[in-house]
Amino acid sequence: MASREHESGLPSGSVTEPDSPVFVISVAAQLSGLHAQTLRSYDRLGLVSPGRSAGGGRRYSARDIALLREVQRLSQEEGVNLAGIKRIIELEQLVDELRAQLDEMASQLLAAHSAVEQTAATVHASYRRDLVPVDRRQALVVWRPRPRRD
């Protein structure tokens, strides 16, 4: 039976949430294809910051494993140095935060438009039907000449 993989590349049954810190450093090293000492180094540099167990041991999530793989890819395939990788990660996180804010604002704007339309409909429904608007451009003007004063 073929095992399905999670978007992180991990078996789907092994992870409940992508941010759940469940993997000890040796397992995380094996899953990411990196040495455990490299993971410790990345943690010290702030590239990938795993969760901690009650005893202080590192616990990596599926998202951390995916990030470790991305760090390795950027370093090995793209030739980006660790400082550049850290900046890329920071900027990607900022983009994600801004996208979330944009989605929230778009949702609020949609709600505001809906509220305005509903209010306008209520106002229009309250108009008196016996009043008829007059277009002043088509009004009838009666002209009466003034009497002459001689």
Side-chain angles (χ1 to χ4, degrees):
M1 190 163 156
S3 96
R4 293 184 339 159
E5 290 192 351
H6 188 267
E7 72 180 49
S8 65
L10 304 173
S12 61
S14 66
V15 181
T16 55
E17 292 292 323
D19 292 320
S20 298
V22 293
F23 302 109
V24 294
I25 193 166
S26 59
V27 173
Q30 186 178 18
L31 290 171
S32 65
L34 299 169
H35 192 275
Q37 193 59 37
T38 304
L39 272 60
R40 289 184 189 95
S41 176
Y42 287 175
D43 186 12
R44 279 191 299 277
L45 293 171
L47 288 172
V48 179
S49 300
R52 298 287 179 162
S53 68
R58 291 173 176 86
R59 294 291 184 268
Y60 290 84
S61 68
R63 192 177 312 271
D64 293 332
I65 303 298
L67 186 55
L68 287 166
R69 289 176 176 172
E70 179 65 5
V71 168
Q72 183 182 27
R73 187 191 71 75
L74 288 169
S75 174
Q76 299 299 315
E77 295 175 19
E78 303 294 331
V80 180
N81 66 23
L82 294 179
I85 292 171
K86 184 173 183 179
R87 186 67 180 142
I88 289 169
I89 291 169
E90 290 169 352
L91 290 172
E92 285 178 345
Q93 289 172 344
L94 179 60
V95 166
D96 289 344
E97 291 169 13
L98 291 173
R99 279 190 181 129
Q101 286 179 5
L102 184 60
D103 290 345
E104 176 63 27
M105 290 176 157
S107 175
Q108 290 175 359
L109 183 60
L110 207 56
H113 277 292
S114 177
V116 165
E117 287 176 5
Q118 189 175 18
T119 301
T122 303
V123 168
H124 289 298
S126 71
Y127 289 161
R128 290 180 48 191
R129 299 291 180 217
D130 58 341
L131 297 179
V132 178
V134 175
D135 185 356
R136 298 283 181 201
R137 294 174 295 181
Q138 296 178 5
L140 178 63
V141 177
V142 178
W143 179 76
R144 291 191 180 121
R146 292 187 181 160
R148 289 185 171 197
R149 294 184 194 187
D150 288 330

